[in-house]
Amino acid sequence: MITGIVFLPLIGALIVGFFGRALGDKVSQIITTGLLMVAAAMSWFTFFDVGFGGNAYTVTVLSWVASGDFIFNWALKVDTLTAVMLIVVTTVSSVVHLYSIGYMHHDKSVPRFMAYLSFFTFAMLMLVTADNLVQMFFGWEGVGVASYLLIGFWFEKPSANAAAMKAFIVNRVGDFGFALGIFLIFVLTGSVEFDTIFAAIPAVADANFVFLGMEFNAITISCLLLFMGAMGKSAQLGLHTWLPDAMEGPTPVSALIHAATMVTAGVFMVCRLSPIFEFSEVALTVVTIVGATTAFFAATVGLTQTDIKRVIAYSTCSQLGYMFFAAGVSAYPAAMFHLTTHAFFKALLFLGAGSVIHAMSDEQNMMKMGGIRKLIPFTWAVMLIGTLAITGVPGLSGYFSKDMIIEAAYAAGSGAGGYAFWLGVIAALMTSFYSWRLMFLTFHGKPRADEKTMAHVHESPLVMTIPLAILAVGAVGFGAVFAGDFIGEGYKEFWGSSIYIAEANNIMKEAKQVPSWVVWSPFIVMVLGLVLAWVIYIKKPGSADKLAKSFSGLYAFSLNKWYFDELYDAIFVKPSFVIGRFFWKRGDEKTIDYFGPDGVAARTKDGSKLASLLQSGYVYHYAFAMLIGVVVFVTWYMLSGMSA
Amino acid sequence: MTELPVLFPAYPEIFLAIAIMALMMIGAYSKAENTLGAVSALTQVSFVVTAGLVLFVVGGATQLAMNDLFIVDQFAVYMKLLILLASLLAVTMSNGFIRREGMAKFEYPILIAFATLGMMMMVSANDLMSLYIGLELQSLSLYVMAAFQRDNSRSTEAGLKYFVLGALSSGMLLYGMSMVYGFAGSTQFNALANAFTADTGAHMGVIVGLIFMVAGLAFKISAVPFHMWTPDVYEGAPTPVTAFFAVAPKVAAMALLIRVLVGPFGGLVAEWSQVIVVLSILSMFIGSFAAIAQSNIKRLMAYSSIGHIGFALIGLAAGTEGGVEAVLIYLAIYLVMNIGTFACILNMKVGGRMVENISDLAGLSKNNPVMAMLIMVFMFSMAGIPPMAGFMSKLFVFKAAIDAGLIALTVIGAVTSVVSAFYYLRVIKVMYFDDPAEKLDSVESGAMKLILAVTGIVTATMIFYMPVVTDPAIKAASSLFGG
């Protein structure tokens, strides 16, 4: 079963990737989408079987590396954590496949797109089913490659190429940390297999690691290194710069990779490695602070962006921050629950935005939209559901997961927890504001697009609206149906041994006993955000500009994304170019080539000229050379004979 | 009762000598139109019969003859077969050329036969005297052959140069021999071996004599710095003569060098291996660097052969049984690929006129793809690119050198091998990527086609049946080391 789930997408990717041109667009779409749907059906079966039947198991595919003590297999580990990721990945992936059939039907390389999507899905499944760190790293890099290929899918666009490279390079920083973390774990425990590592960790909890003459707790260091990988993949503050640019890719890609699945890999990794993180107070604190700060930062930037996809991208970044600080306060189930619900409503928002863009003739600027609610009522309806879910309206999915996270942060009682709580609440206010701003600017008010575009506005075909409907169902119902098992009374039973929470961090219970003002705060700020957005964008249109003028400094700070790109450009990119140019021109061409290949070739030529010059054609020269040869040999022996 | 000298082991040589004299008579007194054809064919037959005698009648057991002047062992058998094969093919390949170029005289195959006889005697020499006789018989024949195209100034110049320098080298050889004789009191190899052992050490005079002898023999294998004649003679001599020069005498002289150094001077290996190392390094350098500037393919082949001798000497420098084994394998493979290459060169004619420049091969891949493919096989093999036979031969000598601890020599060998790959690959580049030049004539005869096909296929596929060469080579080497 699990083997089928993991490898069906790969089979689809291989068939369509290599023979797509021969098969044609239609067949390629049917093959990949069909296989994915089969995988999704099997995933839901596995989810119920493992999550509620308690049948966790591991399937060994084949032995991968056996080198001394370094031994591990290709194995598919299926426990509740994996099962949850399986349904998220395969469900979103199959609806995105389906949606792409409509969204990409004008494109000239449909098979390539479908093959990439399926390949991505395979790599993501490899990541979530990994039973050791190396296999996880393999999936981790696999999704990185797929993400690179899909961001740069329209490679004729220079901006798409630049964005793809940016994503790849920024991720390299995180992956470097991840790799170092794996090395350190191996040094500490002598294994890369999860079960062995987790069993060995308590024994080495106090081990120290000497670096530059300073002693560090080894577990803390390895957790921080691993978290660095998570930060890169999940676009946390500092390594987040690639995510907004990644919106250069086709919208279904944004929905699948940059909202629902790949970017949540970091959260999944921290949860998967909870038996390690639980042994490092410092690392958990760092995770909490980074997560909370990202949630706040991304929300502030989201307030002012005008590109509809970028708003959602920053929203994703912000929501990922929530998941991380949930994990940081040991509320792993809450993090995973939010991951799941977020996957539904964020994919819904992205695909809805795609539907809007589709309707508006590829216009992405919200300032040129407005007043199209009546023209595309279905899209409006599902976007409304998505917005209600993300802002946390009671009863919808987002309400259950986000409120739980905020309560858990408060319940943690620590400094970092308090910090996360307050930033989380403020971010929730801003989330509500920018989400409604998006709705109002896009669908309500007066039309700001030109007449030609407006005349063209049309509802998307069925193949695109069905996926929206499926996701809308998830966004509405998933939270209510599964809250009890994911984060409620039965959470211990549900998660089984897949998540480890230290006895001291009994956050899940305490989160239920917080004061009622804490429980109410997210709801209050949500309403507040809605009202603010309504006043500014509907009641008094134009007040937004006035606000922007009166707070021009803050406005510019937010609009320019806290100047992160400019900062990195000055600190890293420009110097790299200078260094690179130096090494290329001076180092490579003037030094290595000059003394190396070019120089050697030139000297060889000289040598050959010299050697042919010796060949004068005169017999007495030749005879002389022979005699000289003999004389030299004899002399040499006489001298060496005397010295001996 | 006087005892008759033992002659049995020398039967092949005796047969060949008598056959040659008979052929001379036939040539001189025959009134037939096609004397050359008859003599050629009979020469070829006598080579085959001689080979049969060597292989089946005398056999490989170690035997002495003619008062210990002459020795037959596995080593001699191996070398004689290589020499006879090379001579046979040389006569076959020459046929068309000498008729076209006004060299159609019956003496031509007879001279090759005389040279072959001399070489066989060299290989079987067990005394400085018999060594010299064999060497001179071979050399005198070769001098004449180089100048065989009497009305061509390049050919006569080549012959004269070869003769003058050859005489000088013979002088050195004789001088060295006389010094050795003076210190050992004997010219017989076994007696010399007893006189010079590693324990007693060597008198400086012996070393000087040895160096002179090595210099004289190095001239014959054209090892640097005694190689200067080679490019001029290769270029000037008629092409089939060059083809013969490039193979048989090289094999024979190498065999002689091995026999002398490993036999009578086996005890002084520490001394002579230094000389061989220097000769080897210089040969590899000159062979690879000087060839780069050449445009004439015969001159290129001259430098190529100098380089190959350098590589073969690596094995000898090791001074071990494995090293000699590697040299023997090297020579066998060298023979096959060189015969093949010269067969190609002999077929380089435009409208019946011979051409010798590398640029004449331009675009051969389009005009004559089979020929281009063959030349490519030979060039890849010479450059030592797997899976061609030339790769295996280099592999064996390098391996022997590393086993003997000659790491630096091996590294130099590998480096020069890379440099030499440049000019081999350039030939391929000219054939496959340059604009076609004038179309070459088609291959002249069936025999030539056969030679081309067989050498090409053997060069390309030898890697699959290496034991055919390596097993006899192992036996031959072990017979030298008294195994």
Side-chain angles (χ1 to χ4, degrees), chain A residues 69-71 133 181-192:
Chain A
D69 295 336
F70 193 51
I71 300 168
L133 282 168
I182 296 175
F183 300 157
L184 192 52
I185 292 283
F186 179 71
V187 169
L188 279 178
T189 64
S191 174
V192 291

Side-chain angles (χ1 to χ4, degrees), chain A residues 608 615 617 619 622 626 637, chain B residues 161 226 228 232 271 289 299:
Chain A
S608 105
Q615 208 68 35
V619 172
Y622 297 0
M626 290 168 68
Y637 272 100
Chain B
K161 272 184 185 166
F226 309 103
M228 305 291 273
D232 291 6
E271 277 75 22
F289 280 85
R299 242 181 136 75

Side-chain angles (χ1 to χ4, degrees), chain B residues 339-423:
Chain B
I339 290 282
T341 311
F342 273 102
C344 293
I345 295 173
L346 278 167
N347 279 303
M348 284 172 60
K349 8 182 237 304
V350 177
R353 179 178 50 84
M354 296 299 295
V355 290
E356 296 183 343
N357 284 325
I358 296 169
S359 55
D360 294 321
L361 289 171
L364 190 65
S365 62
K366 293 180 189 69
N367 293 336
N368 191 341
V370 177
M371 177 97 133
M373 178 89 84
L374 281 169
I375 298 182
M376 182 175 76
V377 167
F378 294 130
M379 290 299 138
F380 273 143
S381 178
M382 295 226 187
I385 290 168
M388 305 302 172
F391 164 72
M392 295 306 289
S393 57
K394 281 198 176 113
L395 181 68
F396 281 112
V397 290
F398 286 163
K399 186 172 169 295
I402 287 176
D403 289 345
L406 298 171
I407 306 293
L409 183 60
T410 314
V411 171
I412 293 172
V415 169
T416 52
S417 174
V418 170
V419 176
S420 66
F422 168 79
Y423 58 81

Side-chain angles (χ1 to χ4, degrees), chain A residues 130-415:
Chain A
D131 108 310
N132 59 65
L133 282 168
V134 179
Q135 193 180 331
M136 189 187 238
F137 193 68
F138 168 81
W140 194 266
E141 294 301 306
V143 293
V145 170
S147 162
Y148 168 80
L149 291 171
L150 284 165
I151 296 171
F153 181 74
W154 287 317
F155 54 79
E156 304 90 346
K157 274 166 57 181
S159 60
N161 279 331
M165 278 165 64
K166 188 173 180 183
F168 209 71
I169 293 167
V170 173
N171 267 298
R172 224 79 330 250
V173 179
D175 294 351
F176 184 63
F178 189 10
L180 287 180
I182 296 175
F183 300 157
L184 192 52
I185 292 283
F186 179 71
V187 169
L188 279 178
T189 64
S191 174
V192 291
E193 289 180 317
F194 290 141
D195 294 342
T196 322
I197 296 172
F198 298 161
I201 281 293
V204 294
D206 297 323
N208 280 328
F209 177 74
V210 181
F211 180 67
L212 293 177
M214 286 180 283
E215 280 203 356
F216 298 97
N217 180 280
I219 300 274
T220 300
I221 295 292
S222 42
C223 285
L224 290 178
L225 286 169
L226 293 168
F227 180 58
M228 196 169 147
M231 281 174 69
K233 204 53 98 199
S234 295
Q236 292 301 286
L237 192 65
L239 296 178
H240 68 282
T241 53
W242 64 272
L243 184 57
D245 288 16
M247 297 303 133
E248 288 290 344
T251 306
V253 173
S254 311
L256 175 61
I257 302 184
H258 305 121
T261 56
M262 184 185 84
V263 290
T264 61
V267 180
F268 167 76
M269 187 244 266
V270 172
C271 293
R272 167 62 82 205
L273 300 179
S274 56
I276 305 178
F277 277 83
E278 281 296 291
F279 282 91
S280 173
E281 197 60 43
V282 180
L284 285 177
T285 309
V286 171
V287 173
T288 311
I289 291 174
V290 169
T293 313
T294 308
F296 175 77
F297 151 78
T300 60
V301 177
L303 294 177
T304 57
Q305 300 302 309
T306 54
D307 183 316
I308 185 167
K309 282 178 73 181
R310 278 184 186 255
V311 174
I312 309 179
Y314 276 105
S315 159
T316 305
C317 199
S318 169
Q319 298 299 315
L320 289 167
Y322 276 99
M323 298 174 208
F324 273 112
F325 77 69
V329 298
S330 295
Y332 304 104
M336 284 306 293
F337 191 43
H338 194 54
L339 187 162
T340 314
T341 57
H342 172 257
F344 285 109
F345 59 67
K346 189 51 65 67
L348 175 63
L349 284 171
F350 259 120
L351 294 186
S355 181
V356 171
I357 295 166
H358 195 71
M360 297 294 290
S361 314
D362 292 332
E363 179 57 63
Q364 299 197 10
N365 189 343
M366 294 191 298
M367 294 304 160
K368 294 185 179 160
M369 296 180 184
I372 54 173
R373 175 171 68 96
K374 296 255 168 53
L375 297 171
I376 44 174
F378 182 80
T379 306
W380 173 78
V382 293
M383 286 290 276
L384 184 67
I385 292 171
T387 306
L388 292 173
I390 193 174
T391 52
V393 170
L396 274 68
S397 292
Y399 162 76
F400 292 99
S401 54
K402 192 156 77 175
D403 284 20
M404 176 67 191
I405 288 176
I406 290 174
E407 286 157 22
Y410 180 84
S414 60

Side-chain angles (χ1 to χ4, degrees), chain B residues 167-345:
Chain B
L168 178 63
S169 82
S170 283
M172 287 181 182
L173 186 67
L174 279 175
Y175 182 67
M177 284 180 180
S178 66
M179 287 187 79
V180 169
Y181 174 69
F183 280 94
S186 171
T187 54
Q188 214 274 331
F189 282 1
N190 300 354
L192 291 176
N194 290 333
F196 310 128
T197 59
D199 307 330
T200 59
H203 192 277
M204 181 55 74
V206 177
I207 301 288
V208 172
L210 177 60
I211 290 172
F212 270 92
M213 283 184 66
V214 169
L217 292 174
F219 174 85
K220 300 292 175 198
I221 56 171
S222 61
V224 181
F226 309 103
H227 70 290
M228 305 291 273
W229 60 277
T230 318
D232 291 6
V233 172
Y234 272 42
E235 189 186 357
T239 311
V241 175
T242 310
F244 182 59
F245 277 16
V247 185
K250 289 275 160 63
V251 173
M254 197 65 167
L256 185 58
L257 187 62
I258 294 172
R259 190 181 281 291
V260 170
L261 291 180
V262 173
F265 297 101
L268 305 180
V269 60
E271 277 75 22
W272 59 254
S273 82
Q274 300 176 38
V275 182
I276 299 298
V277 166
V278 174
L279 289 178
S280 165
I281 292 174
L282 289 176
S283 302
M284 290 188 294
F285 264 104
I286 294 289
S288 48
F289 280 85
I292 289 175
Q294 306 308 323
S295 58
N296 180 297
I297 196 155
K298 280 161 77 183
R299 242 181 136 75
L300 180 84
M301 289 308 293
Y303 284 109
S304 160
S305 81
I306 293 171
H308 279 297
I309 287 298
F311 286 116
L313 285 176
I314 292 180
L316 183 56
T320 57
E321 191 175 325
V324 171
E325 213 176 282
V327 179
L328 299 187
I329 295 166
Y330 201 106
L331 289 175
I333 290 171
Y334 170 81
L335 183 152
V336 174
M337 60 193 187
N338 249 32
I339 290 282
T341 311
F342 273 102
C344 293
I345 295 173

